[in-house]
Amino acid sequence: MANFYSTPRSEANRKSKNSYFSVLCLLVCGLVVMTLVLLLASIFITGGNWLSWGFLFANHLEDNPEQSGIWQAIVGSIAMCVLCAICALPIGIGTAIFLEEFQPRNKWLRGLHWLVQLNINNLAGVPSIVYGILGVTAFVYMFSYFPSITPNDPPSYEIGANYRYQMRTLGGDIVNFPCPDKTDKSFRVDQPLEAVDSQGNVFMLKVVDRRSAAPKNDPVLLNQTVVKGKKPSLYAEKSFFYFHLPFGKTVLAAGLTLGLVILPIVIIASQEALRAVPASLREAALGMGATQWEAVREVVLPAATPGFMTGAILAMSRAVGEAAPVLAVMGGVLVTTNGLTHLMAKTPVLPVTIYKWAGDENVGFEHLAAAAIIVLLVLLLVMNSVAILIRSRYEKMLG
Amino acid sequence: MATNSQHDFEKALLRNYELKSSLWGRVSEALVMTSLVACGVFSLAITVGIIVLLVTQSVGFFSNADLAIDPITFLTDTKWSIGQTQGTPRYGILPLVSGTFRITGIAMLISLPVGLICAIYLSEYASPRVRSILKPTLEILAGIPTVVLGFFAIKFITPYMLQSIGEFKTFNAASAGIAVGILCLPLVTSLAEDALRSVPDSLREGAYGLGSTRLEVTLKVVVPAALSGIISAFLLALSRAIGETMVVALAAGSTPTFTADPRGPSQTMTGFIVETFQSESLEPDSIGYYSMYAVAAVLFVFTFTITLIGQLIRMRYQEVYS
Amino acid sequence: MTNHLGLITRAKTEKTMSWSQTLTDLDQDQPKKTTLHSQASSPHQKSPSEPKVAIAIKSFNAFYGDFQAIHDVNLNLPVKQVTAFIGPSGCGKSTLLKWINRMNDIVVSANATGSIKVGDLQILDRQTDVVDLRRRIGMVFQKPNPFPKTIFDNVAFGPRLHFKIGKQDLAELVEWSLRKAAVWDEVKDRLNKSALGLSGGQQQRLCIARAIASGPEILLMDEPCSALDPGSTSRVEDLIYELREQYTIVMVTHNMQQASRCSDRTAFFFKGEVIEEGQTDQVFTNPRQKKTEDYVTGKFG
């Protein structure tokens, strides 16, 4: 209807612009949804056929996509998750409590508070590769305080490693015996000593001066004889608590680095959890004569625990997908001979495996990469569902 | 109303209860407070650590007598060639920066408009049905790891989308840019939506009451009111795009080029750092090691300043409306 | 006490011991440790006809930043009686109440001058052990706020915090508190269930039980019935009337009928000042000030 101030045409114009815009919005939203669908569909099409139980439980085999699997990568990812959670959660929740519960009245301390809060928001935006660099310097090389680990030199400080010498006897068997001093490079076999053969039997190793002096007709004896002056090779049996300094390119260093990456997320999520606790509970606790820390410990923390847990899972699901810091610290590991036996080992993880496979020339690995992506997405889905489940169950409990 | 038995019961309860000693309480409180403050300081230490590390190692890069690199050349030279055996290696960072900006530019061209429109739709127009599809979609997109998007870029965007419309090489900036754009989209949408939502309804009602269409209310009243929040959203997404590593490592190639053409390989700063890590000859105190730090320092300066400005703007607008 | 960081911690001094001595009954055999329920008396012995004073407020001014919420209040709140603070919204009743147990410490901009004395303990003194003060002065809030724990844990919260108490004693104490708060029969079978499952009135009585479990001498109630339905309201009012046999109660209320039902003395607040204070009957039926008369007859507020 026309009025004094607008002609019918301009009003219709405005209305049509409005409806065009609505349509545009819908189209754009449709585009977004379609992009996601396209993304997921392409992954499933590429990799769906290559998913199998064999794939899940096998390990990577060089140049052989059909036989390769991601078992070590799955184990490694989960272990990395747990490790970085252990590192990040205590400090993260502590910082969140510090920021939310203890607001100081002093002007300078309030400035410190504001600075810490700003800093944490900023750290959340630092590229993960920069954390990788920090991790390499701080955890792998430990600021070059210790001499670096090279293949020929054992680390300067380590526990849990049992060094032994091994050598091949004249009969072809490989025997081993204890190594008293791992740094002694001049050790040669020149005395008979107690050794263990490949079957595990203990025997006395016999030494002869020349090869010609060896008992040629007795294969058993031959298997227990070596020529004098041979240099044995050194290897280490590492127990589950094997540990050395500097950390070097190990799971521990990677876990600590990932802990740094997720720390800001844990802090921000924990702050949200603490803010969600109603102020009336704190008032009630303080009114009962609790000190501030007692009020936090007895009332606020239990009430915020489900929020903490969902925050932790959120952070862990971010850590599971991070490839850059792990790549920097541990390198592009695809498979290890022994698996994850101790903290100082290397291990493949899912995102790094995907990255390496995607860049591999062998086309078969492209499909495997897609299959690994499916596994990764399923893992993320499971983690997020657990988070939602915890949250809804505890929300019922808190009433 | 107290009966006799109740009275006896009360009398029996009128005992002395010993107060808990306050010494242990004070000691444990002091311990707890110290450790909490230590946690707070720890996060500051991380930032300080990163800055100190990058600065000292970059100084090592520039003071290396063998190479005679000075900061000005580093920042302005247009060729980057480390470890070349023929010819003199040149250490101009501009190709890497150009690669970063090419990819970031394309990413922002995609994520900013789309993100803003999605945010406007979710905040102003939202029909519950569309919202129930769009919001989960964005949350899922936000949770997808970056390697997946990198894979998508190199296996799908490049062959099927780009190479069918033009002369795109296998590694190119455009497909990486599109993937990074998809990556940043949920971030822009959620931050912009927060900004739009925090505009008080009274402003909208006033405009509607004057006879405006929904579009006019949105564009002329709500968006200008939320402008600082939207700008902060853009800046934070920009910073994220600059720092993105895995997508560019997979899709953009490892050849630094100084050009505006998005169809060829273009290594970014982050891509270079990842490549250096993977090279076998990375030893502490080698030139590769130092160059990595120098590039990381420039990268950090970019992302840190942009994130800082974005955060400051966001904190300010949150104060205004809360 | 609040230390230099503005944080509440346990005090170094046993400053409150002097208070317990002054409020302890003439039962001379009682040892110096804190008793669960000491009968209050005061060294400020006035003539026998006047009630002994539990809380003496002198020249008290309270501020939130630059805004002055309370102007020069002088009040003497008698022992083991219910005093009601009435007045329209925003006139400072709740603020004064919160200052008595220093709850306003958590508000950063709040400060006050003047003196509030309980026995001979200066409440506003920086050295005062706020933690012990709040054990001695219980508070019940407007909206029931039980902790999201079991009913037992709610009531046991205070004793566990302050006393060295065995399990058997604790169970008895919890039962006693719940009986005293007239809610035992309704919860005795569900002590281990969440307190949030109770109705509003039950929750408020639970909060009262929680407050008396630590053995306070004074109870502060900030509009305890305003969030409750009429049935629960009357039960809580009966409870308050009973409790005054053992506790000094200060109650803030909007509801004048409630004040006239439950309280022995009434103070009428208006814009941060005490306009009139005296016996409840007298204030309601024969007010001395015109403003008071306007308020109690409903001309404003």
Side-chain angles (χ1 to χ4, degrees):
Chain A
M1 192 175 96
N3 60 27
F4 292 122
Y5 298 103
S6 69
T7 64
R9 241 181 58 190
S10 77
E11 204 166 293
N13 208 1
R14 288 163 58 209
K15 290 212 175 102
S16 66
K17 271 199 212 162
N18 192 36
S19 28
Y20 286 156
F21 186 73
S22 301
V23 171
L24 174 70
C25 281
L26 266 180
L27 281 179
V28 165
C29 298
L31 188 67
V32 172
V33 176
M34 215 179 63
T35 308
L36 178 65
V37 168
L38 201 65
L39 175 66
L40 293 177
S42 61
I43 307 266
F44 274 92
I45 292 175
T46 314
N49 291 329
W50 288 66
L51 264 187
S52 64
W53 289 117
F55 173 68
L56 278 181
F57 289 110
N59 287 319
H60 171 80
L61 219 47
E62 200 67 43
D63 294 328
N64 193 345
E66 281 84 17
Q67 307 275 15
S68 289
I70 51 170
W71 175 242
Q72 275 187 352
I74 296 179
V75 168
S77 277
I78 295 180
M80 197 76 82
C81 233
V82 169
L83 195 57
C84 72
I86 294 177
C87 298
L89 281 179
I91 301 182
I93 295 183
T95 313
I97 296 176
F98 168 70
L99 284 175
E100 287 299 311
E101 298 297 321
F102 294 94
Q103 313 272 3
R105 310 188 107 185
N106 186 327
K107 201 173 76 148
W108 295 111
L109 287 178
R110 267 197 281 164
L112 178 70
H113 240 246
W114 178 84
L115 192 65
V116 173
Q117 179 75 66
L118 179 67
N119 182 47
I120 286 167
N121 290 342
N122 241 36
L123 280 181
V126 170
S128 50
I129 192 76
V130 175
Y131 282 115
I133 291 180
L134 180 63
V136 165
T137 313
F139 300 127
V140 172
Y141 295 121
M142 292 192 134
F143 304 106
S144 299
Y145 184 69
F146 303 97
S148 344
I149 302 174
T150 52
N152 296 323
D153 288 308
S156 48
Y157 172 79
E158 60 180 351
I159 58 169
N162 189 3
Y163 279 92
R164 293 180 80 82
Y165 284 120
Q166 68 180 22
M167 54 195 308
R168 193 182 284 276
T169 57
L170 291 174
D173 197 20
I174 298 190
V175 302
N176 60 71
F177 45 93
C179 160
D181 181 5
K182 67 187 183 205
T183 56
D184 181 3
K185 300 247 190 284
S186 59
F187 181 82
R188 301 284 182 271
V189 179
D190 46 16
Q191 307 275 4
L193 45 77
E194 202 173 75
V196 182
D197 70 14
S198 52
Q199 264 84 46
N201 306 316
V202 182
F203 66 97
M204 279 305 283
L205 194 64
K206 297 159 201 37
V207 182
V208 296
D209 287 331
R210 288 186 317 275
R211 206 190 162 85
S212 45
K216 294 189 184 59
N217 301 316
D218 189 343
V220 174
L221 206 54
L222 217 55
N223 262 338
Q224 297 178 342
T225 316
V226 292
V227 175
K228 181 174 178 174
K230 264 192 83 166
K231 178 176 176 186
S233 62
L234 193 62
Y235 77 99
E237 281 173 353
K238 296 171 182 162
S239 47
F240 75 93
F241 57 90
Y242 177 57
F243 179 79
H244 61 68
L245 287 173
F247 292 150
K249 300 190 173 201
T250 55
V251 172
L252 183 61
L256 289 171
T257 311
L258 272 183
L260 281 184
V261 173
I262 66 171
L263 185 67
I265 304 174
V266 171
I267 294 176
I268 293 176
S270 304
Q271 278 187 283
E272 296 290 334
L274 285 171
R275 279 190 206 138
V277 176
S280 57
L281 288 184
R282 287 188 193 85
E283 269 186 0
L286 287 177
M288 304 266 328
T291 61
Q292 217 150 355
W293 168 242
E294 281 168 354
V296 168
R297 186 187 68 206
E298 299 289 329
V299 175
V300 178
L301 284 189
T305 301
F308 289 158
M309 289 205 273
T310 35
I313 295 182
L314 199 80
M316 284 199 282
S317 58
R318 169 79 193 270
V320 153
E322 280 289 339
V326 181
L327 208 51
V329 172
M330 263 199 320
V333 178
L334 277 171
V335 66
T336 58
T337 35
N338 297 325
L340 194 56
T341 44
H342 51 80
L343 272 181
M344 297 284 136
K346 293 190 203 223
T347 178
V349 288
L350 278 172
V352 171
T353 309
I354 293 171
Y355 170 68
K356 295 295 269 192
W357 279 348
D360 199 302
E361 284 117 22
N362 192 325
V363 175
F365 281 119
E366 179 185 321
H367 297 276
L368 280 191
I373 290 178
I374 296 176
V375 172
L376 179 61
L377 290 178
V378 166
L379 183 62
L380 286 174
L381 190 69
V382 166
M383 289 174 87
N384 279 307
S385 312
V386 168
I388 294 178
L389 214 77
I390 294 179
R391 190 165 56 189
S392 59
R393 237 191 74 186
Y394 272 92
E395 262 168 17
K396 281 200 204 111
M397 215 183 79
L398 282 181
Chain B
M1 293 210 5
T3 63
N4 259 338
S5 64
Q6 205 165 339
H7 207 62
D8 291 338
F9 184 61
E10 280 187 21
K11 265 245 160 42
L13 234 75
L14 284 177
R15 295 174 226 152
N16 305 329
Y17 289 109
E18 211 182 308
L19 280 180
K20 278 187 178 166
S21 129
S22 67
L23 179 65
W24 167 239
R26 271 185 287 125
V27 167
S28 66
E29 291 246 348
L31 281 176
V32 164
M33 285 311 301
T34 323
S35 44
L36 287 183
V37 171
C39 287
V41 171
F42 181 73
S43 57
L44 285 176
I46 298 178
T47 311
V48 169
I50 294 178
I51 295 177
V52 164
L53 186 67
L54 291 176
V55 165
T56 51
Q57 302 291 14
S58 305
V59 163
F61 178 66
F62 291 122
S63 61
N64 190 313
D66 301 334
L67 303 162
I69 311 162
D70 64 291
I72 309 292
T73 322
F74 177 67
L75 288 174
T76 55
D77 199 359
T78 59
K79 246 189 110 34
W80 179 262
S81 50
I82 296 247
Q84 263 182 202
T85 42
Q86 60 205 96
T88 42
R90 288 174 59 182
Y91 300 101
I93 200 179
L94 282 187
L96 295 178
V97 173
S98 135
T100 304
F101 277 139
R102 246 175 292 157
I103 291 177
T104 309
I106 297 177
M108 291 295 108
L109 268 179
I110 294 179
S111 66
L112 296 186
V114 175
L116 188 57
I117 291 183
C118 283
I120 290 177
Y121 192 78
L122 281 174
S123 154
E124 307 294 318
Y125 286 77
S127 87
R129 223 173 42 157
V130 175
R131 164 189 288 273
S132 67
I133 301 179
L134 190 58
K135 264 234 171 267
T137 306
L138 286 168
E139 280 181 17
I140 296 176
L141 269 179
I144 292 189
T146 53
V147 276
V148 177
L149 275 162
F151 180 82
F152 183 61
I154 193 166
K155 301 294 181 192
F156 283 90
I157 301 184
T158 305
Y160 296 113
M161 282 176 57
L162 296 177
Q163 286 180 334
S164 50
I165 62 173
E167 275 280 322
F168 287 85
K169 308 244 175 46
T170 318
F171 293 117
N172 58 68
S175 86
I178 294 176
V180 175
I182 299 177
L183 201 69
C184 294
L185 180 66
L187 185 66
V188 174
T189 309
S190 81
L191 288 176
E193 194 195 339
D194 281 347
L196 289 169
R197 272 189 184 286
S198 67
V199 173
D201 269 340
S202 50
L203 286 177
R204 292 186 184 85
E205 283 163 14
Y208 280 125
L210 290 170
S212 317
T213 60
R214 203 183 277 268
L215 175 64
E216 286 163 352
V217 171
T218 307
L219 290 186
K220 297 199 176 144
V221 176
V222 180
V223 168
L227 197 60
S228 52
I230 294 177
I231 290 180
S232 122
F234 286 177
L235 288 176
L236 294 173
L238 181 67
S239 164
R240 171 94 193 264
I242 292 179
E244 180 41 54
T245 312
M246 296 317 292
V247 173
V248 303
L250 274 172
S254 46
T255 317
T257 53
F258 185 67
T259 158
D261 182 0
R263 292 175 301 176
S266 39
Q267 191 175 51
T268 61
M269 295 188 270
T270 49
F272 171 72
I273 297 175
V274 167
E275 189 205 347
T276 315
F277 269 124
Q278 295 202 40
S279 70
E280 295 303 323
S281 59
L282 184 65
E283 287 296 313
D285 297 338
S286 71
I287 187 60
Y289 181 85
Y290 279 126
S291 67
M292 181 180 75
Y293 274 96
V295 173
V298 176
L299 174 70
F300 184 71
V301 165
F302 275 131
T303 53
F304 194 73
T305 11
I306 297 178
T307 312
L308 188 63
I309 299 176
Q311 287 294 345
L312 286 174
I313 296 181
R314 190 159 146 240
M315 280 173 139
R316 247 199 65 215
Y317 95 78
Q318 271 178 346
E319 276 173 26
V320 167
Y321 275 134
S322 61
Chain C
M1 70 171 197
T2 36
N3 64 14
H4 60 281
L5 293 176
L7 302 167
I8 301 169
T9 58
R10 293 198 177 271
K12 292 188 185 130
T13 60
E14 293 295 318
K15 203 90 191 268
T16 50
M17 287 308 284
S18 61
W19 174 23
S20 82
Q21 284 161 8
T22 57
L23 285 192
T24 300
D25 201 6
L26 306 162
D27 187 350
Q28 305 295 339
D29 295 340
Q30 291 218 333
K32 291 276 188 252
K33 290 194 209 137
T34 316
T35 59
L36 179 56
H37 288 289
S38 35
Q39 320 237 309
S41 73
S42 158
H44 310 284
Q45 287 282 0
K46 308 240 166 63
S47 51
S49 56
E50 275 189 39
K52 301 178 205 127
V53 172
I55 307 175
I57 306 176
K58 268 210 187 66
S59 312
F60 181 70
N61 293 281
F63 304 85
Y64 286 114
D66 291 328
F67 169 69
Q68 182 160 10
I70 296 181
H71 302 261
D72 203 38
V73 162
N74 290 288
L75 273 183
N76 285 326
L77 305 178
V79 132
K80 288 214 195 169
Q81 293 191 6
V82 178
T83 307
F85 289 174
I86 62 172
S89 298
C91 58
K93 324 187 283 289
S94 293
T95 308
L96 180 58
L97 201 75
K98 291 208 168 123
W99 270 108
I100 297 179
N101 71 347
R102 295 274 294 268
M103 278 302 284
N104 268 335
D105 282 0
I106 49 182
V107 179
V108 176
S109 61
N111 53 16
T113 62
S115 106
I116 301 183
K117 269 168 107 161
V118 178
D120 63 1
L121 178 73
Q122 278 285 8
I123 301 232
L124 298 180
D125 192 358
R126 290 195 126 243
Q127 298 286 342
T128 312
D129 182 1
V130 173
V131 164
D132 201 51
L133 179 73
R134 293 183 186 151
R135 182 182 64 81
R136 260 73 187 281
I137 304 184
M139 189 159 201
V140 176
F141 297 85
Q142 191 169 347
K143 200 163 167 299
N145 52 9
F147 301 131
K149 300 173 185 248
T150 62
I151 295 175
F152 186 89
D153 285 334
N154 263 280
V155 182
F157 184 78
R160 276 200 188 120
L161 213 51
H162 297 293
F163 304 134
K164 289 183 199 165
I165 185 168
K167 280 177 83 159
Q168 178 65 12
D169 286 344
L170 187 62
E172 280 183 13
L173 181 53
V174 167
E175 179 180 336
W176 178 86
S177 308
L178 289 169
R179 275 185 196 279
K180 195 92 182 155
V183 76
W184 170 253
D185 291 322
E186 292 161 64
V187 302
K188 64 178 180 232
D189 298 323
R190 28 199 304 213
L191 285 180
N192 285 322
K193 297 253 173 64
S194 169
L196 299 174
L198 298 175
S199 76
Q202 289 169 328
Q203 284 185 4
Q204 191 66 304
R205 279 177 283 145
L206 175 66
C207 290
I208 296 177
R210 183 177 68 183
I212 64 181
S214 321
E217 282 127 50
I218 300 176
L219 282 181
L220 303 177
M221 301 198 171
D222 191 356
E223 300 191 39
C225 302
S226 62
L228 305 179
D229 60 275
S232 316
T233 302
S234 67
R235 292 182 78 169
V236 173
E237 285 177 5
D238 292 339
L239 178 59
I240 295 176
Y241 199 71
E242 264 179 56
L243 287 176
R244 79 194 221 296
E245 288 173 24
Q246 218 156 4
Y247 305 96
T248 305
I249 301 182
V250 184
M251 189 171 77
V252 167
T253 178
H254 258 138
N255 187 334
M256 286 183 287
Q257 289 76 24
Q258 182 173 86
S260 59
R261 280 194 294 266
C262 298
S263 62
D264 301 310
R265 296 185 71 85
T266 303
F268 170 59
F269 283 73
F270 186 68
K271 289 209 179 138
E273 291 179 358
V274 173
I275 308 291
E276 183 166 345
E277 188 256 341
Q279 299 268 19
T280 301
D281 298 331
Q282 176 258 307
V283 169
F284 278 95
T285 55
N286 201 4
R288 288 193 292 263
Q289 306 280 347
K290 177 143 195 335
K291 264 224 177 57
T292 319
E293 186 178 338
D294 289 341
Y295 183 71
V296 300
T297 54
K299 287 221 179 85
F300 73 93

